[in-house]
Amino acid sequence: MADHSVEITEGCRLPVLRKNQVNEDEWPLAEILSVKDILGKKLYYVHYIDFNKRLDEWVTPDRLDIKKLQFPKKEAKTPMKDGLPGSRPSSPERDVKRKAESVSLATQVTAVTPVPSLPSSAEASQASVYPAMRDSSFSIKSRDEHEPLASLTTNGTTSIQRHLIPPQPGRKRKSCGGTDEDSQDSSDGIPSAPRMTGSLVSDRSHDDIVTRMKNIDCIELGRHRLKPWYFSPYPQELTSLLILYLCEFCLKYLKSLKCLQRHLTKCNLRHPPGNEIYRKGTISFFEIDGRKNKAYSQNLCLLAKCFLDHKTLYYDTDPFLFYVMTEYDSKGFHIVGYFSKEKESTEDYNVACILTLPPYQRRGYGKLLIEFSYELSKVEGKTGTPEKPLSDLGLLSYRSYWSQTILEILMDLKSENGERPQITINEISEITSVKKEDVISTLQYLNLINYYKGQYILTLSEDIVEGHERAMQKRHLRIDPKCLHFTPKDWSKRGKW
């Protein structure tokens, strides 16, 4: 459909033919990021507007709808970025969109469903609990009605409404338990799109024409061939290869199958370097010090960057610990996923980066990684939270894990002396090691908190309970604390790690 008499340049926008999830043709608007000529035939690297960058691809001219071509704005100079010249031409609506996003984000941070602050323990203990209203006319009234979510107090007692409320006619809500997938399924009541407010918005400060384009076509890792989603700074001479070969045990990158075979005769590793701190069945976790095992850690970061767009890769791995999850068979311990964490975090981060490799996604391994990170926090006697920003899939995974973990506690509460059970936000946080802010945001997100006659109650509807039970039946992989052999280190006393 392309008209060769019209020159299509970088920054142009036009509809591009692609197949959707049900293998049907669609023509979403896309931006041309790069043009190359191979044997006299042009190829165009396109980014589909409002689609994730992992769907970016090279397309042939016949997939372009030239009739609706939009040319980029003409400017004397390339737009400046952070005081430095930009590296791509401006395209239609980009500048306007950026300004609009910055304004909307600034206003949305304090607009996340404001609720009054939680009452104090004394206030809550005096209040009696009544059945909560569940129709659209119910409103929350208090002197602090417009206080933002972040300022909720966390030492107040909250009563649990144990009488399950049947769903009201015309107000069907999604079940909020988890799913058998760790990140990509929204059947647990979590929307398919991430919440675009506050610090969870993906950071685009490193966005430029080089890092916007995938540079590796294919990676062979053991018995799997992986198609990278994003740019990763592998050496330039490797980016022209059809397949990049990786040793699945030391993660060293090699340019040919022959080089890999020769390497395997000399590589003695059959598991990640470091200490095995957990094993149950075929699942093991290895703790790797980024200073002691620098080469492995850097290779792991390079591999992970192929599937993580929202984090900046640092070659200084010294301040980090890496926890690699593996699956064991007769040939060795095969990497499934990993997470990294700072040795010393001033902001209570218990995860810096987290990734399940694509061949192992949608099998529950993501939640297992998250659960393991919180088990380490329990041993350390701390509460933790993942480093922001989270990716879209990472946010879905954490939302699902927090929902299931908190609901598990609430449903196990027993009433005493015929009274409805009570629990504080602090107690939930101490039991789970989930940071108080994440507990509050999850309760608010699930719409469990209700304010009725001067008291806060948590109302568990039948939909929520049934959805949670279905999700837990599908969640077969769990961490067994008895199989964890981990002694936390005080890194503050160890000089420079």
Side-chain angles (χ1 to χ4, degrees), residues 3-45:
D3 183 355
H4 297 287
S5 62
V6 179
E7 184 179 3
I8 302 174
T9 59
E10 295 174 6
C12 290
R13 291 188 177 191
L14 73 173
V16 177
L17 176 64
R18 71 179 295 272
K19 297 286 186 182
N20 61 19
Q21 291 180 331
V22 292
N23 207 34
E24 296 175 344
D25 290 348
E26 61 179 7
W27 292 85
L29 185 65
E31 179 182 354
I32 306 294
L33 298 186
S34 183
V35 183
K36 67 180 180 181
D37 196 308
I38 299 180
L39 301 176
K41 186 175 182 181
K42 284 194 173 182
L43 291 176
Y44 301 91
Y45 192 85

Side-chain angles (χ1 to χ4, degrees), residues 62-281:
D62 58 305
R63 291 174 58 182
L64 308 179
D65 185 357
I66 202 71
K67 296 177 182 177
K68 299 179 181 179
L69 179 64
Q70 303 173 20
F71 288 101
K73 292 179 182 177
K74 293 183 179 179
E75 295 188 22
K77 294 182 179 179
T78 308
M80 302 292 282
K81 176 177 157 183
D82 299 332
L84 299 173
S87 55
R88 66 172 187 258
S90 178
S91 62
E93 304 171 353
R94 179 182 287 129
D95 296 331
V96 176
K97 188 174 180 181
R98 278 183 180 168
K99 289 178 182 177
E101 283 178 352
S102 64
V103 173
S104 64
L105 290 179
T107 56
Q108 286 176 0
V109 168
T110 57
V112 185
T113 320
V115 297
S117 60
L118 292 176
S120 65
S121 300
E123 203 176 12
S125 60
Q126 296 297 321
S128 56
V129 180
Y130 297 92
M133 300 294 289
R134 277 281 181 171
D135 62 54
S136 57
S137 64
F138 182 73
S139 60
I140 298 174
K141 298 289 184 184
S142 101
R143 62 181 180 275
D144 299 321
E145 184 171 56
H146 300 294
E147 192 169 342
L149 177 64
S151 65
L152 286 172
T153 59
T154 56
N155 59 351
T157 305
T158 305
S159 299
I160 311 300
Q161 178 70 33
R162 302 299 291 179
H163 295 297
L164 301 181
I165 300 177
Q168 296 293 320
R171 283 210 55 181
K172 186 175 180 181
R173 58 183 289 163
K174 294 179 182 177
S175 61
C176 63
T179 165
D180 57 342
E181 156 48 12
D182 37 282
S183 61
Q184 299 178 28
D185 194 331
S186 61
S187 63
D188 59 351
I190 296 171
S192 57
R195 181 171 65 91
M196 297 299 288
T197 54
S199 61
L200 297 182
V201 179
S202 295
D203 180 15
R204 296 298 175 193
S205 61
H206 61 284
D207 204 11
D208 60 54
I209 195 64
V210 176
T211 60
R212 288 184 82 191
M213 294 173 54
K214 302 171 194 174
N215 58 335
I216 304 294
D217 288 330
C218 182
I219 292 176
E220 184 169 301
L221 180 69
R223 62 179 180 271
H224 300 293
R225 282 194 173 176
L226 315 177
K227 294 286 287 183
W229 296 351
Y230 307 112
F231 169 89
S232 182
Y234 279 103
Q236 181 66 34
E237 61 268 21
L238 302 179
T239 59
S240 59
L241 301 174
L242 293 177
I243 300 175
L244 177 63
Y245 295 88
L246 265 60
C247 171
E248 64 175 326
F249 299 114
C250 73
L251 302 183
K252 181 177 180 179
Y253 46 84
L254 303 118
K255 62 181 180 180
S256 69
L257 181 58
K258 187 173 182 180
C259 290
L260 175 64
Q261 292 169 342
R262 188 165 61 244
H263 166 80
L264 291 175
T265 61
K266 296 180 286 185
C267 182
N268 297 321
L269 281 180
R270 288 298 174 267
H271 59 78
N275 300 321
E276 185 180 8
I277 60 173
Y278 179 91
R279 183 189 293 186
K280 184 174 184 182

Side-chain angles (χ1 to χ4, degrees), residues 40-55:
K41 186 175 182 181
K42 284 194 173 182
L43 291 176
Y44 301 91
Y45 192 85
V46 300
H47 166 65
Y48 298 102
I49 308 301
D50 297 327
F51 285 71
N52 192 282
K53 278 170 58 177
R54 59 178 165 266
L55 299 177

Side-chain angles (χ1 to χ4, degrees), residues 455-485:
Q455 184 175 9
Y456 284 86
I457 61 173
L458 299 180
T459 309
L460 304 183
S461 69
E462 288 181 353
D463 283 348
I464 289 176
V465 174
E466 291 173 2
H468 174 70
E469 289 173 347
R470 283 196 305 270
M472 296 310 289
Q473 288 173 0
K474 297 176 181 178
R475 190 172 162 188
H476 304 298
L477 295 174
R478 299 298 298 268
I479 295 295
D480 185 351
K482 297 176 183 176
C483 299
L484 176 62
H485 303 282

Side-chain angles (χ1 to χ4, degrees), residues 207-407:
D207 204 11
D208 60 54
I209 195 64
V210 176
T211 60
R212 288 184 82 191
M213 294 173 54
K214 302 171 194 174
N215 58 335
I216 304 294
D217 288 330
C218 182
I219 292 176
E220 184 169 301
L221 180 69
R223 62 179 180 271
H224 300 293
R225 282 194 173 176
L226 315 177
K227 294 286 287 183
W229 296 351
Y230 307 112
F231 169 89
S232 182
Y234 279 103
Q236 181 66 34
E237 61 268 21
L238 302 179
T239 59
S240 59
L241 301 174
L242 293 177
I243 300 175
L244 177 63
Y245 295 88
L246 265 60
C247 171
E248 64 175 326
F249 299 114
C250 73
L251 302 183
K252 181 177 180 179
Y253 46 84
L254 303 118
K255 62 181 180 180
S256 69
L257 181 58
K258 187 173 182 180
C259 290
L260 175 64
Q261 292 169 342
R262 188 165 61 244
H263 166 80
L264 291 175
T265 61
K266 296 180 286 185
C267 182
N268 297 321
L269 281 180
R270 288 298 174 267
H271 59 78
N275 300 321
E276 185 180 8
I277 60 173
Y278 179 91
R279 183 189 293 186
K280 184 174 184 182
T282 59
I283 300 295
S284 292
F285 279 85
F286 290 83
E287 182 185 54
I288 294 141
D289 189 323
R291 183 181 65 83
K292 294 179 180 177
N293 303 104
K294 190 181 289 286
Y296 181 90
S297 301
Q298 290 179 347
N299 288 336
L300 178 60
C301 288
L302 284 169
L303 173 61
K305 187 63 183 70
C306 291
F307 306 100
L308 292 174
D309 180 45
H310 60 292
K311 299 289 185 181
T312 304
L313 181 74
Y314 292 101
Y315 285 97
D316 181 16
T317 59
D318 289 14
F320 294 92
L321 294 168
F322 297 83
Y323 294 90
V324 178
M325 178 168 63
T326 63
E327 202 171 49
Y328 175 77
D329 64 16
S330 58
K331 294 183 179 179
F333 294 79
H334 308 279
I335 181 171
V336 170
Y338 89 104
F339 68 87
S340 59
K341 64 186 291 186
E342 292 177 282
K343 293 174 181 176
E344 292 183 274
S345 175
T346 57
E347 301 185 53
D348 297 326
Y349 291 142
N350 64 354
V351 165
C353 290
I354 184 167
L355 172 71
T356 306
L357 291 175
Y360 298 96
Q361 291 179 357
R362 306 188 66 83
R363 291 164 60 180
Y365 287 116
K367 279 201 186 74
L368 200 66
L369 282 166
I370 295 172
E371 186 178 3
F372 189 78
S373 71
Y374 282 108
E375 286 298 329
L376 295 184
S377 295
K378 290 177 185 178
V379 176
E380 293 169 344
K382 301 176 182 177
T383 58
T385 188
E387 184 178 312
K388 312 303 187 300
L390 288 167
S391 67
D392 54 350
L393 301 184
L395 175 56
L396 293 177
S397 294
Y398 268 96
R399 281 291 189 195
S400 182
Y401 172 80
W402 289 332
S403 300
Q404 291 182 7
T405 303
I406 293 171
L407 286 172

